[in-house]
């Protein structure tokens, strides 16, 4: 792909701009442009979409998104060292790439991009889960984005798509699957990155549903799931006793045995419990 966009290989870009990955920023650079193009394709047809990319680093995925036909890309980067490399990409794709130095959570995306908008990112390991929760919890649903295609540590990816009674099932699965369809679309070994992390990585594709699968208040669901999974393998009547003295009655009212454990309970029942708690 270096010859397609007329830009140098990423290893050369890193040498030229002295971009040594910083552990404190959670940086692991993906330098294989064939892989970055594959990640871009896993987000679906980009030709009629604007794309938000968070943490582009030296721009490998950025180049993949543009080469795969994204209408416009907003790349938000906190590391000022990466800006010259990203500006070189912007020059190669006039009018299609805007680079912003700052925090993605503080950027007004709709001031820069026009729907439909997809989010595609190789997220820094140290903030990936926090960013996902923020994207899943906007004040109004459906959100400004139609899909999220995000790279995480493989274990985190497995937690997002997990089902009840599985080892990885927990709060993250419930919050993600309440409002989205979620699937792992790719796994990558440590050696695909520079520097190589100690774990495998995986790309998760989440498609926003028009409305949540089951009605309930997000803040109540978030509070219940946080308490329920705080101590795994503990009975719900114990882990949720902080919800009030009537918790056993509420559990029974929605068909959950008080002796049940959080990892045994599905999304529909958790949403029913959230409604019961809110009504109490």
């Amino acid at each position: 792909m270096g010859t397609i966009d007329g830009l140098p290989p990423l290893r050369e870009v890193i040498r030229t701009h002295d971009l040594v990955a910083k552990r404190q920023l959670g940086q692991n650079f993906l330098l294989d442009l064939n892989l970055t193009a594959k990640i871009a394709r896993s987000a679906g047809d980009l030709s009629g979409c604007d794309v938000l990319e968070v943490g582009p680093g030296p721009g490998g995925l950025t180049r993949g998104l543009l080469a795969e036909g994204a209408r416009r890309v907003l790349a938000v980067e906190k590391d000022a060292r990466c800006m010259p490399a990203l500006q070189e990409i912007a020059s190669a794709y006039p009018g299609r790439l805007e680079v912003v130095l700052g925090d993605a959570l503080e950027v007004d995306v709709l001031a820069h991009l026009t729907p439909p908008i997809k989010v595609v990112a190789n997220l820094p390991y140290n903030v990936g889960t926090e960013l996902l929760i923020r994207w899943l919890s906007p004040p109004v649903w459906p959100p400004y984005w139609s899909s999220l295609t995000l790279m995480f540590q493989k274990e985190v990816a497995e937690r997002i798509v997990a089902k009840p009674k599985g080892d990885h099932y927990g709060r993250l699965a419930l919050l993600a699957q309440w409002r989205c369809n979620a699937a792992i679309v790719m796994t990558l070994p440590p050696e695909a990155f520079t520097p190589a992390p100690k774990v495998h990585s995986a790309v998760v594709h989440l498609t926003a549903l028009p409305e949540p699968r089951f009605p309930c208040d997000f803040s109540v669901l978030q509070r219940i799931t946080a308490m329920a999974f705080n101590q795994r393998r503990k009975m719900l009547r114990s882990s949720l006793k902080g919800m009030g003295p009537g918790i056993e009655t509420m559990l029974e009212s929605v068909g959950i045995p008080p002796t049940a454990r959080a990892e045994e309970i599905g999304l529909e029942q958790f949403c029913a419990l959230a409604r019961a708690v809110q009504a109490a």
Side-chain angles (χ1 to χ4, degrees):
M1 188 173 297
T3 58
I4 292 176
D5 57 20
L7 294 167
L10 282 168
R11 290 191 185 277
E12 184 178 326
V13 171
I14 286 176
R15 284 195 302 269
T16 300
H17 297 285
D18 193 24
L19 294 177
V20 178
K22 288 187 175 181
R23 185 180 299 274
Q24 62 267 37
L25 294 177
Q27 291 176 329
N28 297 90
F29 296 149
L30 187 59
L31 302 184
D32 186 333
L33 289 168
N34 291 316
L35 282 177
T36 62
K38 188 175 180 181
I39 295 169
R41 289 193 294 272
S42 71
D45 184 7
L46 300 177
S47 59
C49 299
D50 285 2
V51 175
L52 168 65
E53 183 189 4
V54 178
L61 181 55
T62 314
R63 290 165 66 174
L65 293 167
L66 291 163
E68 292 298 322
R71 185 173 61 192
R72 181 174 170 80
V73 174
L74 173 65
V76 183
E77 176 58 63
K78 293 183 74 171
D79 188 351
R81 300 176 307 147
C82 297
M83 299 304 282
L86 294 168
Q87 292 298 342
E88 290 174 2
I89 302 171
S91 297
Y93 289 92
R96 292 179 57 201
L97 173 62
E98 181 181 359
V99 183
V100 172
L101 179 65
D103 187 334
L105 294 174
E106 298 175 358
V107 173
D108 180 1
V109 175
L110 292 176
H112 299 265
L113 301 179
T114 303
I117 297 169
K118 297 186 176 188
V119 180
V120 188
N122 172 12
L123 294 174
Y125 281 170
N126 55 353
V127 295
T129 302
E130 179 188 355
L131 283 167
L132 174 60
I133 295 295
R134 294 286 192 96
W135 282 319
L136 291 173
S137 54
V140 178
W141 193 271
Y144 69 80
W145 51 267
S146 60
S147 69
L148 306 170
T149 305
L150 308 172
M151 188 183 300
F152 298 95
Q153 295 182 41
K154 187 180 178 184
E155 181 182 349
V156 175
E158 290 171 338
R159 285 166 50 202
I160 294 168
V161 304
K163 301 301 180 185
K165 300 181 181 178
D167 291 340
H168 298 284
Y169 181 67
R171 176 171 170 262
L172 196 57
L174 285 158
L175 297 181
Q177 296 173 39
W178 180 51
R179 284 176 159 171
C180 297
N181 290 326
I184 292 176
V185 294
M186 191 188 316
T187 57
L188 295 95
E191 55 268 23
F193 299 86
T194 299
K198 296 179 180 179
V199 296
H200 281 65
S201 301
V203 177
V204 181
H205 183 68
L206 301 101
T207 304
L209 297 171
E211 57 186 33
R213 293 186 193 278
F214 308 104
C216 73
D217 181 86
F218 178 83
S219 62
V220 179
L221 180 64
Q222 191 173 33
R223 185 158 55 101
I224 288 174
T225 54
M227 294 178 67
F229 288 97
N230 185 45
Q231 293 177 289
R232 296 181 69 88
R233 301 180 182 84
K234 195 171 184 179
M235 288 185 290
L236 279 172
R237 67 183 180 193
S238 298
S239 57
L240 295 179
K241 63 183 179 182
M243 302 298 297
I247 190 61
E248 286 198 34
T249 301
M250 283 187 270
L251 287 167
E252 290 175 345
S253 73
V254 297
I256 300 175
T259 56
R261 292 169 172 79
E263 54 267 32
E264 301 169 344
I265 305 304
L267 174 60
E268 185 173 7
Q269 285 182 302
F270 266 112
C271 290
L273 179 59
R275 294 194 299 272
V277 168
Q278 188 174 17

